[in-house]
Amino acid sequence: MAYACISSLMQTLQQLLQSKSSLICESPIQQKHVESSYQSLCALQIFLEDTTNEANDIENLKILEKRIKDIVYKAEDRVDSCLTNILLADNEDDREKACKFFNEELQQVKTEFDSLRKEVMVIEFNKRGSKSMELAATTSFSSIQETTYVGMKKDYKAILNCLNAQTKELIVISLVGMGGIGKTTLARKVFDNSTIRDRFEKHAWVTISEQYNKRQMLLEVASSITGVNNQEMSNDELMVIVYRSLKGRRFLIVIDDLWSTDAWDQMRRLFQNDNNNSRIILTTRLKRVADYASSPDFPPYDVSFLSFKDSWKLFTKKLFNKDRCPPQLRKIGKHIIEQCQGLPLSIIVIAGLLGKIGVTYDNWKKTEENLKSFHGSVLEQCQAILSLSYNYLPPYLKACFLYIGGFPEDMEIRVSKMMSSWIAEQFIKATSEKRLEVVAEEYVQELMDRSLILGKTRKPNGRFKTCKIHDLLRQLCIREAQSENVVHFPYSDHVLTYSNDINDRRRVMIPFLIEDYFADHPSQTSGKITTRSLIFMGAGKSYLVPEMNHWPDSISDFKLLKVLDAREIGYDFSHIIPQLVHLRYIDARIGDPSSLAKLFNLQTIIVYSRRNVQLPAEIWTMSEIKHVDIEQMYMPNPVSIEEQQPLFLNNLQTLALDSSPFLAEILKRTPNVDKLKIRAANTHNEWSDFVDCLINLQRLEKLSITATEDNSPRILSSVFCAPNLKHLRLAETSLPWEDMAVLANLPNLEVLKADRAFTGTEWTLNEDSVFKKLKYLRIKRADDLEMWEAASDSFPMLEQLVLQHLEDLEDIPQSFGEIMTLKLVQVKYCSPTVDNSARNILEDQQSWGNYMEISVSKSISLWIAELFVNARSNKCLEVIAEEYLQDLIDTSLIFAGTVKRANLHFSCLRCWMCLPAIAIAIVIVIVIV
């Protein structure tokens, strides 16, 4: 991957040119060689950017890129190895020798780059037509990522008929077909059908994937069905919870992407047959699995390929949205779609490609000619189309795309994590106009526009929080990444032991079975391993392996390591990392933070300890630091260590830390922070000091403050100012409701989340309190709030209102019915009067002709609070209340499920009668019991 490796070495050389550290050799000759090498790399990068990706040039371009990559990789190994020797030199003589050798190596690198630069400048590609195969400046391709249902009417009706079958026995309906044909899309359409969901009391969606893991399956089933996600529970305990939750209940379960009969046998035991019309839908690519799992009278359903008519419809919908295909492109466009052979994934990906290269006849003609060379099965044709889309990616996107293959199969990937990984790997090209994070976000959007990744959940501000990648595309990533030596996945081929060739891999991502990775690690001598990144992709739970005594020795051999992402291990790396002087990114457990003192290349520090310790004083001299997230650690007081001039971390952008007595001083020295998270904010009674300091953070956009639970009085000063603040979260702060007027003065606030943040029985917003740009408001656990008054003008831009655990609140201000931007009101575990006011707001919105959705969830805790439930010595109130619910269902007084009526959603029990009738029914049941 020539472009990515060039970018990596350029950033290293750039750092040398800008460095003022005494650890780097100060030599005019060195400076000259570094500058010359940097200029050669710039020329090579520009050459790759300008090279047109025409069909006839793809293979030649690959050969050239491989030659460039091999030379640059070797040069990077020389540079980094020399710097390691300089930084780890024990005395001045050793350092001088290392510097002399470094100059000699730089001379050799410069000579090789000069030769390579001349070579590529005389290469001429066969240029046919325009340069339109480069990224077009404009495109009509729609980046809408909603699921597109086209050509599924027949399949959809067939599945509905199976679900509506008269038999009371548990039915298993299997959808079988190749990857990308639309099995999951079809199952999701059925699962989301409100009429279908109304018939079932329990609903769950569980994704299994090829790498079946019994425990992960149990956790996902338990979480989907019961909401329980306790990592500490044993497998048997999880099975009992699921079994009891489903016992006697009518359920609808979707098991997506099942790969083995063994996995089905494990799952089948959880779903008992109570002859109550329960249903299971499963999707699989394997006919034998579908035959094995399906009910006898309901054979597996083969999901159909799209007809040509539906294929064309899907293609034009994805590419042109509501517009028509230009007449001059229809014939050639239809011929391209014929090559997709009715496979939806191929159609969507080819639409993404054509949308990005420009909607012109020449571009489409070249794509058509390229596809003509591929023949074979639908799967082979699909892979050809996917490969074509990858080949035509701009060089700056290729490494970013391949990197995604390292995330576990079917995982919802956190976009922020993905972007920070790209930056740490030096995949993102720095520009003078934009920050790396902004460029990375543009890369994400471009991959989504090309349908190579799919946006999933969104943040309150509308940006994507998570994304996914299709299995076939992930397989493409794995194949190309290992071929190009971009990323190595040692378990992609189910190889469970260490392999010697990993030492030559630039980046290694280890998703599972961490212990096995180093089990057979051979002893190495320093400098022979060229790996730059070690990333351990666990399942969110640390692996404690104290018996693995060889781990520290093994990882310390990786002298050129730049990225160590090892939080999943749970191992204390304190005595290892001092040798890893090239580290730019570390996410791990560090018991002794002083070990970080000499890592002057660090840009991202995400570390935690198990005892309250302090980062080394040298942290204030690490000018490259951009992100700091520390737990059970303190930042040192800059005042106590500065000698002549004040210490500032001007490049620091993200800061997350526990509070300390000198928090205010820290904030004064980090003026460019744009994301700030403070935990235990009032531990040292410094509340007013650090709040007043926020005015110094002119770039602050996101702020999270969590206080400790106490009764200390806290207020927001009327001069509180954060002019660029967009996202604010307050927790346990116990502010008076009057301080909401202060927050209303924040000119750019878009998201406000309050969790036990305010106290008082009454919240009144006067006419002067206007949240001008607020789009998302969440109020949670305001235990004593009873009355809320606000005018519609108080929230002119509000789109989502979320209220949770407000059991004393009387109602929502009726003025919310006049907010024309309002799209969603979500009420969870509030009083019945709040539920009713939400419905009234819905009616008001409908009277204005606006589409709005409300979601109301009740809790059996309200029954307990109203003393409807009688205590018994051998059972807790919650268990008794659940029994009451089941009795009411059995007597047909209420039904369970999700009801959708006039855009009104109930995600719990709902009676056909009025609320007083429910209370009467409960009393009757109590008397009977």
Side-chain angles (χ1 to χ4, degrees), residues 675-774:
K675 295 180 182 178
L676 176 63
K677 177 188 290 185
I678 300 173
R679 297 178 289 265
N682 57 323
T683 305
H684 303 278
N685 296 320
E686 71 286 355
W687 173 266
S688 59
D689 291 338
F690 90 78
V691 169
D692 291 342
C693 283
L694 294 178
I695 193 173
N696 298 318
L697 306 180
Q698 293 297 302
R699 296 187 179 183
L700 188 64
E701 294 187 0
K702 187 173 183 179
L703 173 63
S704 174
I705 301 176
T706 302
T708 56
E709 295 185 45
D710 61 22
N711 296 320
S712 302
R714 285 179 286 275
I715 61 171
L716 284 177
S717 170
S718 59
V719 297
F720 173 74
C721 180
N724 290 307
L725 190 65
K726 296 180 179 180
H727 189 294
L728 175 62
R729 179 183 179 271
L730 300 172
E732 309 293 347
T733 51
S734 300
L735 296 165
W737 285 108
E738 290 77 10
D739 283 356
M740 272 289 191
V742 179
L743 300 183
N745 292 327
L746 298 175
N748 290 297
L749 189 64
E750 296 179 356
V751 177
L752 175 57
K753 299 178 180 179
D755 186 353
R756 280 203 179 101
F758 294 89
T759 184
T761 60
E762 184 175 339
W763 176 19
T764 301
L765 285 169
N766 56 41
E767 295 179 355
D768 297 329
S769 298
V770 179
F771 291 84
K772 297 179 181 179
K773 292 187 178 181
L774 194 68

Side-chain angles (χ1 to χ4, degrees), residues 252-417:
L252 173 62
I253 310 291
V254 175
I255 302 171
D256 189 32
D257 204 14
L258 188 67
W259 281 81
S260 73
T261 56
D262 290 340
W264 171 245
D265 288 337
Q266 292 285 348
M267 298 195 69
R268 182 64 181 84
R269 291 183 294 171
L270 299 174
F271 310 124
Q272 60 274 19
N273 181 12
D274 290 325
N275 293 313
N276 60 356
N277 299 99
S278 292
R279 302 290 186 260
I280 295 175
I281 300 174
L282 66 85
T283 72
T284 180
R285 300 185 194 183
L286 306 178
K287 186 68 163 59
R288 61 179 180 82
V289 174
D291 290 335
Y292 183 83
S294 297
S295 297
D297 295 332
F298 296 87
Y301 187 83
D302 291 308
V303 179
S304 309
F305 289 99
L306 295 181
S307 65
F308 177 78
K309 179 181 178 181
D310 288 329
S311 296
W312 180 249
K313 183 178 179 182
L314 176 60
F315 171 74
T316 54
K317 186 173 183 179
K318 293 296 294 183
L319 185 55
F320 301 106
N321 200 3
K322 296 181 180 180
D323 298 329
R324 290 180 173 272
C325 177
Q328 68 273 21
L329 296 179
R330 288 178 188 170
K331 182 177 179 180
I332 191 170
K334 289 183 177 180
H335 188 254
I336 291 173
I337 293 308
E338 284 179 353
Q339 314 306 310
C340 296
Q341 302 184 43
L343 189 69
L345 178 64
S346 292
I347 297 167
I348 291 172
V349 170
I350 203 71
L353 169 62
L354 293 175
K356 295 306 293 184
I357 65 175
V359 183
T360 68
Y361 182 86
D362 287 344
N363 292 341
W364 286 32
K365 185 65 177 176
K366 290 165 189 168
T367 302
E368 178 195 33
E369 291 173 353
N370 200 71
L371 286 175
K372 284 180 180 178
S373 62
F374 294 104
H375 301 282
S377 67
V378 178
L379 181 58
E380 291 171 340
Q381 191 69 26
C382 180
Q383 291 292 348
I385 291 171
L386 300 184
S387 297
L388 177 65
S389 187
Y390 166 72
N391 290 334
Y392 280 132
L393 275 176
Y396 58 83
L397 279 181
K398 287 185 175 180
C400 296
F401 174 62
L402 297 185
Y403 195 87
I404 301 173
F407 289 92
E409 187 180 9
D410 289 319
M411 174 185 179
E412 283 202 17
I413 306 165
R414 282 194 300 118
V415 172
S416 59
K417 171 68 173 178

Side-chain angles (χ1 to χ4, degrees), residues 820-850:
M820 296 296 98
T821 56
L822 197 60
K823 298 177 181 177
L824 171 69
V825 175
Q826 185 182 92
V827 178
K828 190 173 184 179
Y829 306 147
C830 295
S831 65
T833 55
V834 172
D835 300 347
N836 288 333
S837 62
R839 298 184 197 106
N840 293 335
I841 290 172
L842 174 64
E843 293 175 359
D844 290 345
Q845 291 284 340
Q846 289 178 331
S847 69
W848 290 97
N850 296 331

Side-chain angles (χ1 to χ4, degrees), residues 32 72 115 131 135 266 328 470 477 482 499 646 716 801:
K32 180 180 178 181
V72 175
S115 175
K131 291 186 178 181
L135 278 181
Q266 292 285 348
Q328 68 273 21
H470 192 277
C477 287
Q482 303 196 156
S499 57
L716 284 177
L801 173 65

Side-chain angles (χ1 to χ4, degrees), residues 553-600:
D553 295 335
S554 298
I555 295 182
S556 62
D557 285 337
F558 290 71
K559 290 293 193 297
L560 305 184
L561 207 61
K562 293 184 177 181
V563 175
L564 177 59
D565 191 343
R567 177 170 292 256
E568 302 292 351
I569 295 176
Y571 196 95
D572 186 353
F573 286 88
S574 299
H575 59 294
I576 301 171
I577 59 173
Q579 300 293 313
L580 309 180
V581 292
H582 291 287
L583 276 182
R584 297 174 179 268
Y585 179 104
I586 182 170
D587 185 352
R589 177 187 164 204
I590 303 294
D592 180 12
S594 65
S595 58
L596 300 168
K598 294 185 178 181
L599 304 184
F600 291 99

